[in-house]
Amino acid sequence: MNISDPITLVLSIILCLFLALFFFGWRRDCRYNLPPGPRPLPIIGNLHILDLKKPYQTLHQLSKKYGPIYTIQLGVEKAVVLCGYEAVKDALVNHADDFSGRAKVPFFQEISKGLGVLFSHDENWRVMRRFALLTLRNFGMGKESIESKISEESDFLVKKFRTYKGEPFDNTMIINASVANIIVSILLSNRFDYEDPTLLKLLKIITESIQLLGSPMATEKPNPHLYFTNENLTVLVRDLFAAGMETTSTTLRWGLLLMMKYPEVQRKVQSEIEKVIGSAAPQASHRKVMPYTDAVIHEIQRFGNIVPTNLPHATTQDVNFRGYLLPKGIHVIPLLTSVLYDKDHFAKADEFYPEHFLDSSGNFVRKEAFMPFSAGRRSCAGESLAKMELFLFFTRLLQNFTLQAPPGAALDLNSAIGFTAGPLPHKICAIPRV
């Protein structure tokens, strides 16, 4: 070989690097027993077999070949994928501490710097999560004070819907703004008008960030007494704002779209609202005596499947799990879409079917595999707030409007591309009922 030739020299260096990476990876992995998975290619790993727009669909399909736990390689990084309710629950609940880490994905690290709560690690995550939960409770989460704020905001939302006088409109920014105002009221004791430029700019930034997180390429130690820095608290507020707005508003938009698609379900919900609530303002306590509406909201969350891949976890130590020895720090993908669409737990998993959450007598039935907020140590900190928002906003809108598709419009239930799987762009007609 003539190494004086520049091209030959470069190729030789690349070959050596490949060999070094291969043998280093082999020596490192030989101590562990990772589950089997598709054979990776150099550099790109298994990216070539993924649907890069909706990778969760490919990940779910692969479980049919490799089982409920398998290894996939995203670029040069290995990840263990967990599919189905039993595997995900086993990891996140039964081995909660072992799987409570957050994968150190470069894109996440770049936007968060390891701060805040969503993408932080170790003691910083524990301190910030405790602080977030305590602060949210102190500012009204789960109490009558926050219920009154949601009820008041739902009145503003109804008023805004009425301005369209039954004509078609896009509800995305309106619902985003309405839900965002609940977080604003908690964090800033204020609310924005839906057309406020500051709010619109903030919503635009958050929406773009969520879309970027959906890409599969979104490829000095702190002093423990200095967690409560301005920078850390700023990232925490951003995390709470993004998580508290995006997931709930996306679920609500799915709910309105599904009511247009299934008018018979909408009529049953409205009938229950008339029977239990009448023309009064909905209250959180009504949910216990409205089993059909409760079932519909649960099914909207299940079918909407808005965080299909979950946020990536990581093991906090070497762990024996289901016959495999997983190394500390390996990426773990608890695939929520495989739980919410688990046919062993939901008879008509691919359909919108509220009866998944009803017994033969029409009573509400809880399902263990209902995990839209994830589970374990990293489950959604704002779950109770989101449940209250969904019920109060949803019932208030259906109490006041019948939702219809614009004349001649086709209703597509495929999801848009992004980290959260929202509905495709569409318009609605909100026909006033009262």
Side-chain angles (χ1 to χ4, degrees):
M1 179 183 296
N2 180 12
I3 60 173
S4 62
D5 180 357
I7 296 179
T8 303
L9 179 60
V10 170
L11 291 175
S12 299
I13 293 173
I14 292 174
L15 177 60
C16 290
L17 287 173
F18 275 148
L19 291 173
L21 285 170
F22 175 80
F23 284 111
F24 171 76
W26 179 81
R27 289 184 63 187
R28 181 184 62 181
D29 292 343
C30 69
R31 294 185 292 124
Y32 300 101
N33 174 27
L34 296 180
R39 184 183 296 274
L41 296 177
I43 304 299
I44 65 171
N46 298 120
L47 290 176
H48 63 296
I49 66 173
L50 293 181
D51 178 343
L52 298 184
K53 293 182 179 180
K54 297 182 179 180
Y56 59 90
Q57 293 184 346
T58 309
L59 294 177
H60 196 187
Q61 287 294 322
L62 287 171
S63 68
K64 296 179 180 180
K65 179 176 182 180
Y66 296 102
I69 173 172
Y70 66 88
T71 302
I72 195 165
Q73 192 159 317
L74 305 175
V76 297
E77 192 71 44
K78 285 184 171 63
V80 172
V81 182
L82 306 176
C83 290
Y85 167 69
E86 278 72 21
V88 172
K89 180 194 174 184
D90 197 5
L92 301 189
V93 178
N94 300 339
H95 296 79
D97 289 332
D98 295 335
F99 289 88
S100 65
R102 177 67 76 219
K104 294 184 178 180
V105 179
F107 185 74
F108 294 161
Q109 293 294 106
E110 178 63 27
I111 64 173
S112 72
K113 310 299 182 186
L115 302 175
V117 66
L118 288 181
F119 307 114
S120 59
H121 311 277
D122 306 323
E123 190 61 20
N124 186 81
W125 165 68
R126 284 185 282 272
V127 171
M128 287 294 101
R129 183 177 172 87
R130 283 196 300 269
F131 176 70
L133 287 170
L134 178 62
T135 302
L136 288 173
R137 282 196 292 267
N138 287 342
F139 279 85
M141 186 175 76
K143 301 178 181 178
E144 289 185 6
S145 57
I146 195 63
E147 180 175 347
S148 66
K149 291 183 184 296
I150 299 170
S151 182
E152 179 185 10
E153 191 61 42
S154 69
D155 288 338
F156 284 109
L157 184 59
V158 167
K159 183 178 179 181
K160 182 65 177 179
F161 271 38
R162 286 191 185 280
T163 64
Y164 293 97
K165 300 179 179 179
E167 294 299 314
F169 66 98
D170 187 317
N171 66 3
T172 303
M173 293 302 291
I174 302 169
I175 291 182
N176 282 353
S178 186
V179 175
N181 268 332
I182 304 304
I183 296 297
V184 169
S185 71
I186 293 174
L187 300 177
L188 304 177
S189 298
N190 189 21
R191 77 171 295 276
F192 290 106
D193 185 81
Y194 296 159
E195 283 78 32
D196 189 296
T198 300
L199 179 62
L200 294 177
K201 181 179 180 181
L202 185 57
L203 295 177
K204 183 175 183 292
I205 292 171
I206 290 174
T207 300
E208 290 174 349
S209 298
I210 294 295
Q211 290 173 342
L212 287 174
L213 290 177
S215 168
M217 297 301 291
T219 48
E220 169 183 16
K221 297 184 179 179
N223 184 321
H225 300 294
L226 296 179
Y227 292 119
F228 296 96
T229 62
N230 286 337
E231 187 179 12
N232 208 4
L233 293 174
T234 297
V235 176
L236 174 61
V237 168
R238 185 184 67 190
D239 287 349
L240 292 175
F241 197 96
M245 182 276 290
E246 174 66 21
T247 54
T248 302
S249 61
T250 300
T251 303
L252 275 173
R253 290 192 293 115
W254 269 118
L256 302 188
L257 175 62
L258 287 163
M259 292 305 95
M260 293 192 293
K261 184 74 171 180
Y262 300 100
E264 71 283 1
V265 173
Q266 181 175 196
R267 285 191 291 270
K268 288 181 181 178
V269 171
Q270 290 171 331
S271 176
E272 191 171 64
I273 291 172
E274 291 168 2
K275 177 182 177 182
V276 176
I277 303 175
S279 60
Q283 299 176 8
S285 59
H286 286 136
R287 186 167 192 158
K288 296 179 182 178
V289 290
M290 298 176 67
Y292 188 78
T293 301
D294 203 3
V296 168
I297 293 173
H298 276 71
E299 182 67 356
I300 290 167
Q301 291 181 268
R302 186 202 71 81
F303 184 84
N305 184 31
I306 66 167
V307 190
T309 59
N310 207 332
L311 286 173
H313 286 234
T315 50
T316 57
Q317 60 185 3
D318 289 359
V319 54
N320 282 295
F321 182 72
R322 295 196 156 204
Y324 301 104
L325 178 58
L326 310 181
K328 176 181 178 180
I330 193 168
H331 291 205
V332 177
I333 302 175
L335 198 65
L336 287 188
T337 190
S338 70
V339 179
L340 297 176
Y341 279 66
D342 191 327
K343 293 184 179 180
D344 290 335
H345 295 268
F346 299 103
K348 299 183 179 181
D350 296 325
E351 302 177 22
F352 179 72
Y353 187 65
E355 285 74 12
H356 282 138
F357 297 93
L358 295 169
D359 65 17
S360 58
S361 299
N363 300 308
F364 180 79
V365 176
R366 297 186 183 278
K367 292 292 186 74
E368 289 185 343
F370 179 73
M371 283 189 185
F373 301 102
S374 191
R377 300 285 188 267
R378 291 272 182 172
S379 62
C380 175
E383 179 176 344
S384 63
L385 174 62
K387 288 179 176 179
M388 185 181 290
E389 289 175 326
L390 288 173
F391 178 76
L392 294 178
F393 278 124
F394 184 73
T395 53
R396 192 65 160 169
L397 288 174
L398 265 65
Q399 181 186 52
N400 284 273
F401 304 99
T402 293
L403 304 166
Q404 297 177 359
L411 297 177
D412 190 338
L413 296 185
N414 288 307
S415 60
I417 298 169
F419 181 73
T420 53
L424 291 168
H426 64 279
K427 291 187 177 182
I428 71 171
C429 294
I431 313 300
R433 301 182 69 230
V434 292

